[in-house]
Amino acid sequence: MEKILNCVMRGILGTIAMYFINAVLEKAGVSVSVGINAATVLTSGILGFPGLMALYGIGFYKLL
């Protein structure tokens, strides 16, 4: 039960982080944004911070 709660909390915090990172990048004029959907929430929930950075890494890679 503790692992499920941990995954849910990381998913919630990852979603909040995605929202604010997207806002900061948009304000800076960078056209990279990660959509907030089930796949990205699960990725940040299961992998945590490295998963969040991987999502933005893929976004920046697509920008090239």
Coordinates of all heavy atoms in Angstrom, one line a residue:
M1 N 0.8 -1.2 0.0 CA 0.0 0.0 0.0 C 0.9 1.3 0.0 O 0.5 2.3 -0.6 CB -0.9 0.0 1.2 CG -1.9 1.0 1.2 SD -3.1 0.8 -0.1 CE -4.2 2.1 0.2
E2 N 2.0 1.2 0.7 CA 2.9 2.3 0.8 C 3.5 2.7 -0.6 O 3.6 3.9 -0.9 CB 4.0 2.1 1.8 CG 4.9 3.2 2.0 CD 6.0 2.9 3.0 OE1 5.8 2.0 3.9 OE2 7.1 3.6 3.0
K3 N 3.8 1.7 -1.4 CA 4.4 1.9 -2.7 C 3.4 2.6 -3.6 O 3.7 3.4 -4.4 CB 4.9 0.6 -3.3 CG 6.1 0.1 -2.6 CD 6.6 -1.2 -3.3 CE 7.9 -1.6 -2.6 NZ 8.5 -2.8 -3.3
I4 N 2.1 2.2 -3.5 CA 1.1 2.8 -4.3 C 0.9 4.2 -4.0 O 0.8 5.1 -4.8 CB -0.2 2.0 -4.2 CG1 -0.1 0.6 -4.8 CG2 -1.4 2.7 -4.9 CD1 -1.2 -0.3 -4.6
L5 N 0.8 4.5 -2.7 CA 0.7 5.9 -2.2 C 1.9 6.7 -2.6 O 1.7 7.9 -3.0 CB 0.5 5.9 -0.7 CG 0.3 7.3 0.0 CD1 -1.0 7.9 -0.6 CD2 0.3 7.2 1.4
N6 N 3.1 6.2 -2.6 CA 4.3 6.9 -3.0 C 4.2 7.2 -4.5 O 4.5 8.3 -4.9 CB 5.5 6.0 -2.7 CG 6.8 6.8 -2.9 OD1 6.8 8.0 -3.2 ND2 7.9 6.0 -2.9
C7 N 3.7 6.3 -5.3 CA 3.6 6.5 -6.7 C 2.5 7.6 -7.0 O 2.7 8.4 -7.9 CB 3.2 5.2 -7.4 SG 3.1 5.3 -9.2
V8 N 1.5 7.5 -6.3 CA 0.4 8.5 -6.5 C 0.9 9.9 -6.1 O 0.7 10.9 -6.8 CB -0.9 8.2 -5.7 CG1 -1.9 9.3 -5.6 CG2 -1.5 6.9 -6.3
M9 N 1.6 10.0 -5.0 CA 2.1 11.3 -4.6 C 3.1 11.9 -5.6 O 3.2 13.1 -5.9 CB 2.8 11.2 -3.2 CG 1.8 11.0 -2.1 SD 0.5 12.3 -2.0 CE 1.5 13.7 -1.6
R10 N 4.0 11.0 -6.1 CA 5.0 11.5 -7.1 C 4.3 11.9 -8.4 O 4.7 12.8 -9.0 CB 6.0 10.4 -7.4 CG 7.1 10.2 -6.4 CD 8.1 9.3 -6.8 NE 7.6 8.0 -6.9 CZ 8.3 6.9 -7.0 NH1 9.6 7.0 -7.1 NH2 7.8 5.7 -7.1
G11 N 3.2 11.2 -8.7 CA 2.4 11.6 -9.9 C 1.8 13.0 -9.7 O 1.8 13.8 -10.6
I12 N 1.2 13.2 -8.5 CA 0.6 14.5 -8.3 C 1.7 15.6 -8.3 O 1.5 16.7 -8.9 CB -0.1 14.5 -6.9 CG1 -1.4 13.6 -7.0 CG2 -0.5 15.9 -6.5 CD1 -2.0 13.3 -5.7
L13 N 2.8 15.4 -7.6 CA 3.8 16.4 -7.6 C 4.4 16.6 -8.9 O 4.8 17.7 -9.3 CB 4.9 16.0 -6.5 CG 4.5 16.1 -5.1 CD1 5.6 15.6 -4.2 CD2 4.1 17.5 -4.7
G14 N 4.6 15.6 -9.7 CA 5.1 15.7 -11.1 C 4.1 16.5 -12.0 O 4.6 17.3 -12.8
T15 N 2.8 16.3 -11.8 CA 1.9 17.1 -12.6 C 2.0 18.5 -12.2 O 1.9 19.4 -13.1 CB 0.5 16.5 -12.3 OG1 0.4 15.1 -12.6 CG2 -0.6 17.3 -13.1
I16 N 2.1 18.9 -11.0 CA 2.2 20.2 -10.5 C 3.5 20.8 -11.1 O 3.5 22.0 -11.6 CB 2.2 20.4 -9.0 CG1 0.8 20.0 -8.5 CG2 2.5 21.8 -8.5 CD1 0.7 19.8 -7.0
A17 N 4.6 20.1 -11.0 CA 5.9 20.5 -11.6 C 5.8 20.7 -13.1 O 6.3 21.8 -13.6 CB 7.0 19.5 -11.3
M18 N 5.1 19.9 -13.8 CA 4.9 20.0 -15.3 C 4.2 21.3 -15.6 O 4.6 22.1 -16.5 CB 4.2 18.8 -15.9 CG 5.0 17.6 -16.1 SD 4.1 16.4 -17.0 CE 3.5 15.4 -15.6
Y19 N 3.2 21.6 -14.8 CA 2.4 22.8 -15.0 C 3.3 24.1 -14.9 O 3.2 24.9 -15.7 CB 1.2 22.9 -14.0 CG 0.4 24.1 -14.1 CD1 -0.5 24.3 -15.2 CD2 0.6 25.2 -13.2 CE1 -1.2 25.5 -15.2 CE2 -0.1 26.3 -13.3 CZ -1.0 26.5 -14.3 OH -1.8 27.7 -14.4
F20 N 4.0 24.1 -13.8 CA 4.9 25.3 -13.6 C 6.1 25.4 -14.5 O 6.4 26.5 -15.0 CB 5.3 25.3 -12.1 CG 4.3 25.8 -11.2 CD1 3.7 24.9 -10.2 CD2 3.7 27.0 -11.2 CE1 2.7 25.3 -9.4 CE2 2.7 27.4 -10.4 CZ 2.2 26.5 -9.4
I21 N 6.7 24.2 -14.9 CA 7.8 24.3 -15.8 C 7.3 24.7 -17.2 O 7.9 25.5 -17.9 CB 8.4 22.9 -15.9 CG1 9.2 22.6 -14.6 CG2 9.4 22.8 -17.1 CD1 9.7 21.1 -14.5
N22 N 6.1 24.2 -17.6 CA 5.5 24.7 -18.9 C 5.3 26.2 -18.9 O 5.5 26.8 -19.9 CB 4.2 23.9 -19.2 CG 4.4 22.5 -19.6 OD1 5.5 22.1 -20.0 ND2 3.4 21.7 -19.5
A23 N 4.8 26.7 -17.7 CA 4.5 28.1 -17.6 C 5.8 28.9 -17.7 O 5.8 30.0 -18.4 CB 3.8 28.4 -16.3
V24 N 6.8 28.5 -17.1 CA 8.1 29.2 -17.1 C 8.7 29.1 -18.5 O 9.2 30.2 -19.0 CB 9.1 28.6 -16.1 CG1 10.5 29.1 -16.3 CG2 8.6 28.9 -14.7
L25 N 8.7 28.0 -19.1 CA 9.2 27.9 -20.5 C 8.4 28.7 -21.5 O 9.0 29.3 -22.4 CB 9.3 26.4 -20.9 CG 10.3 25.5 -20.2 CD1 10.1 24.1 -20.7 CD2 11.7 26.0 -20.5
E26 N 7.1 28.8 -21.3 CA 6.3 29.6 -22.2 C 6.6 31.1 -22.0 O 6.7 31.8 -23.0 CB 4.8 29.3 -22.0 CG 3.9 30.1 -22.9 CD 2.4 29.8 -22.6 OE1 2.1 28.7 -22.0 OE2 1.6 30.7 -22.9
K27 N 6.8 31.5 -20.8 CA 7.1 32.9 -20.5 C 8.5 33.2 -21.1 O 8.7 34.4 -21.5 CB 7.1 33.1 -19.0 CG 7.0 34.6 -18.6 CD 6.6 34.7 -17.2 CE 5.3 35.3 -17.1 NZ 4.9 35.8 -15.8
A28 N 9.4 32.3 -21.1 CA 10.8 32.5 -21.6 C 10.8 32.4 -23.1 O 11.8 32.7 -23.7 CB 11.7 31.5 -21.0
G29 N 9.7 32.0 -23.7 CA 9.7 32.0 -25.2 C 10.2 30.7 -25.8 O 10.4 30.6 -27.0
V30 N 10.3 29.7 -25.0 CA 10.8 28.3 -25.5 C 9.5 27.5 -25.8 O 8.6 27.4 -25.0 CB 11.6 27.6 -24.4 CG1 12.0 26.3 -24.9 CG2 12.8 28.5 -24.0
S31 N 9.5 27.0 -27.0 CA 8.3 26.3 -27.5 C 8.3 24.8 -27.1 O 7.8 24.0 -27.9 CB 8.1 26.5 -29.0 OG 9.2 25.8 -29.6
V32 N 8.8 24.5 -26.0 CA 8.8 23.1 -25.5 C 7.8 23.0 -24.4 O 7.9 23.7 -23.4 CB 10.2 22.6 -25.0 CG1 10.1 21.2 -24.4 CG2 11.1 22.6 -26.2
S33 N 6.8 22.2 -24.5 CA 5.9 21.9 -23.4 C 5.5 20.5 -23.4 O 5.3 19.9 -24.5 CB 4.6 22.8 -23.5 OG 3.9 22.4 -24.7
V34 N 5.4 19.9 -22.2 CA 5.0 18.5 -22.1 C 3.5 18.6 -21.7 O 3.1 19.2 -20.8 CB 5.8 17.9 -20.9 CG1 5.3 16.5 -20.6 CG2 7.3 17.8 -21.3
G35 N 2.7 17.8 -22.5 CA 1.3 17.8 -22.2 C 1.0 17.0 -20.9 O 1.7 16.0 -20.6
I36 N 0.0 17.4 -20.2 CA -0.4 16.7 -19.0 C -1.5 15.8 -19.3 O -2.6 16.2 -19.6 CB -0.8 17.7 -17.9 CG1 0.3 18.7 -17.6 CG2 -1.3 17.0 -16.7 CD1 0.0 19.8 -16.6
N37 N -1.1 14.5 -19.4 CA -2.1 13.4 -19.7 C -1.7 12.2 -18.9 O -0.8 12.2 -18.1 CB -2.1 13.1 -21.2 CG -0.7 12.8 -21.8 OD1 0.0 12.1 -21.1 ND2 -0.4 13.3 -22.9
A38 N -2.4 11.1 -19.1 CA -2.2 9.9 -18.3 C -0.8 9.3 -18.5 O -0.2 8.9 -17.5 CB -3.3 8.9 -18.7
A39 N -0.3 9.4 -19.7 CA 1.0 8.8 -19.9 C 2.1 9.6 -19.2 O 3.0 9.0 -18.6 CB 1.3 8.7 -21.4
T40 N 2.0 10.9 -19.2 CA 3.1 11.7 -18.6 C 2.9 11.7 -17.0 O 3.9 11.7 -16.3 CB 3.0 13.2 -19.0 OG1 1.7 13.7 -18.8 CG2 3.4 13.3 -20.5
V41 N 1.7 11.6 -16.5 CA 1.5 11.5 -15.1 C 2.0 10.1 -14.6 O 2.7 10.1 -13.6 CB 0.0 11.7 -14.7 CG1 -0.2 11.4 -13.3 CG2 -0.4 13.1 -15.0
L42 N 1.8 9.1 -15.3 CA 2.3 7.8 -15.0 C 3.8 7.7 -15.0 O 4.5 7.1 -14.2 CB 1.7 6.7 -15.8 CG 0.3 6.2 -15.5 CD1 -0.2 5.2 -16.5 CD2 0.3 5.6 -14.1
T43 N 4.4 8.4 -16.0 CA 5.8 8.4 -16.1 C 6.5 9.1 -15.0 O 7.4 8.6 -14.4 CB 6.3 9.1 -17.5 OG1 5.7 8.4 -18.6 CG2 7.8 9.1 -17.6
S44 N 5.9 10.3 -14.6 CA 6.5 11.0 -13.5 C 6.2 10.3 -12.2 O 6.9 10.3 -11.2 CB 6.0 12.4 -13.4 OG 4.6 12.5 -13.2
G45 N 5.0 9.6 -12.1 CA 4.7 8.8 -10.9 C 5.6 7.6 -10.7 O 6.0 7.4 -9.5
I46 N 5.9 6.9 -11.7 CA 6.7 5.7 -11.6 C 8.1 6.0 -11.5 O 8.8 5.5 -10.6 CB 6.4 4.7 -12.7 CG1 4.9 4.2 -12.6 CG2 7.4 3.6 -12.7 CD1 4.5 3.4 -13.9
L47 N 8.6 6.9 -12.3 CA 10.1 7.2 -12.3 C 10.5 8.4 -11.5 O 11.7 8.5 -11.2 CB 10.5 7.5 -13.8 CG 10.3 6.3 -14.8 CD1 10.7 6.7 -16.2 CD2 11.1 5.1 -14.3
G48 N 9.6 9.2 -11.1 CA 9.9 10.4 -10.2 C 10.6 11.5 -11.0 O 10.3 11.7 -12.2
F49 N 11.5 12.1 -10.4 CA 12.2 13.3 -11.0 C 13.0 12.9 -12.3 O 12.9 13.6 -13.2 CB 13.2 13.9 -10.0 CG 13.9 15.1 -10.5 CD1 13.2 16.3 -10.6 CD2 15.2 15.0 -10.8 CE1 13.9 17.4 -11.1 CE2 15.9 16.2 -11.3 CZ 15.2 17.4 -11.4
P50 N 13.7 11.7 -12.3 CA 14.3 11.4 -13.6 C 13.3 11.2 -14.7 O 13.6 11.5 -15.9 CB 15.0 10.1 -13.3 CG 15.2 10.1 -11.8 CD 14.0 10.8 -11.2
G51 N 12.1 10.7 -14.4 CA 11.1 10.6 -15.5 C 10.6 11.9 -16.0 O 10.4 12.1 -17.2
L52 N 10.5 12.9 -15.1 CA 10.1 14.2 -15.4 C 11.2 14.9 -16.3 O 10.9 15.5 -17.4 CB 9.9 15.1 -14.2 CG 9.3 16.4 -14.3 CD1 7.9 16.3 -14.9 CD2 9.3 17.1 -13.0
M53 N 12.4 14.7 -16.0 CA 13.5 15.2 -16.8 C 13.6 14.5 -18.1 O 13.9 15.1 -19.2 CB 14.8 15.1 -16.1 CG 14.9 16.0 -14.9 SD 14.8 17.8 -15.3 CE 13.1 18.1 -14.8
A54 N 13.3 13.2 -18.2 CA 13.3 12.5 -19.4 C 12.2 13.0 -20.4 O 12.4 13.1 -21.6 CB 13.1 11.0 -19.2
L55 N 11.0 13.3 -19.8 CA 9.9 13.9 -20.6 C 10.4 15.2 -21.3 O 10.1 15.5 -22.5 CB 8.7 14.1 -19.8 CG 8.0 12.9 -19.3 CD1 6.9 13.2 -18.3 CD2 7.4 12.2 -20.5
Y56 N 11.0 16.1 -20.5 CA 11.5 17.4 -21.1 C 12.7 17.1 -22.0 O 12.9 17.9 -22.9 CB 11.8 18.4 -19.9 CG 10.5 19.0 -19.4 CD1 9.9 18.5 -18.3 CD2 9.9 20.0 -20.1 CE1 8.7 19.1 -17.9 CE2 8.7 20.6 -19.7 CZ 8.1 20.1 -18.6 OH 6.9 20.6 -18.2
G57 N 13.5 16.2 -21.7 CA 14.6 15.8 -22.6 C 14.1 15.4 -24.0 O 14.6 15.8 -25.0
I58 N 13.1 14.6 -24.0 CA 12.5 14.2 -25.3 C 11.9 15.4 -26.0 O 12.0 15.5 -27.2 CB 11.4 13.1 -25.0 CG1 12.0 11.8 -24.5 CG2 10.5 12.9 -26.3 CD1 11.0 10.8 -24.0
G59 N 11.2 16.3 -25.2 CA 10.7 17.5 -25.8 C 11.8 18.4 -26.4 O 11.6 18.9 -27.6
F60 N 12.9 18.6 -25.8 CA 14.0 19.4 -26.3 C 14.6 18.7 -27.5 O 15.1 19.3 -28.4 CB 15.0 19.7 -25.2 CG 14.6 20.9 -24.4 CD1 14.3 20.7 -23.0 CD2 14.6 22.2 -24.9 CE1 13.9 21.7 -22.3 CE2 14.2 23.2 -24.1 CZ 13.9 23.0 -22.8
Y61 N 14.7 17.3 -27.4 CA 15.3 16.6 -28.6 C 14.4 16.8 -29.8 O 14.9 16.9 -30.9 CB 15.4 15.1 -28.2 CG 15.9 14.3 -29.3 CD1 17.3 14.3 -29.6 CD2 15.1 13.4 -30.1 CE1 17.8 13.5 -30.6 CE2 15.6 12.7 -31.1 CZ 17.0 12.7 -31.3 OH 17.5 12.0 -32.4
K62 N 13.1 16.8 -29.6 CA 12.2 17.0 -30.8 C 12.3 18.4 -31.3 O 12.0 18.7 -32.5 CB 10.7 16.7 -30.4 CG 10.5 15.2 -30.1 CD 9.1 15.0 -29.5 CE 8.0 15.2 -30.4 NZ 6.7 14.8 -29.9
L63 N 12.7 19.4 -30.5 CA 12.9 20.7 -30.9 C 14.1 20.9 -31.9 O 14.0 21.7 -32.8 CB 13.1 21.6 -29.7 CG 13.2 23.1 -29.9 CD1 11.9 23.7 -30.4 CD2 13.6 23.8 -28.6
L64 N 15.1 20.0 -31.7 CA 16.2 20.1 -32.6 C 15.8 19.7 -34.0 O 15.8 19.7 -35.0 CB 17.3 19.1 -32.2 CG 17.9 19.4 -30.8 CD1 18.9 18.3 -30.4 CD2 18.6 20.7 -30.7

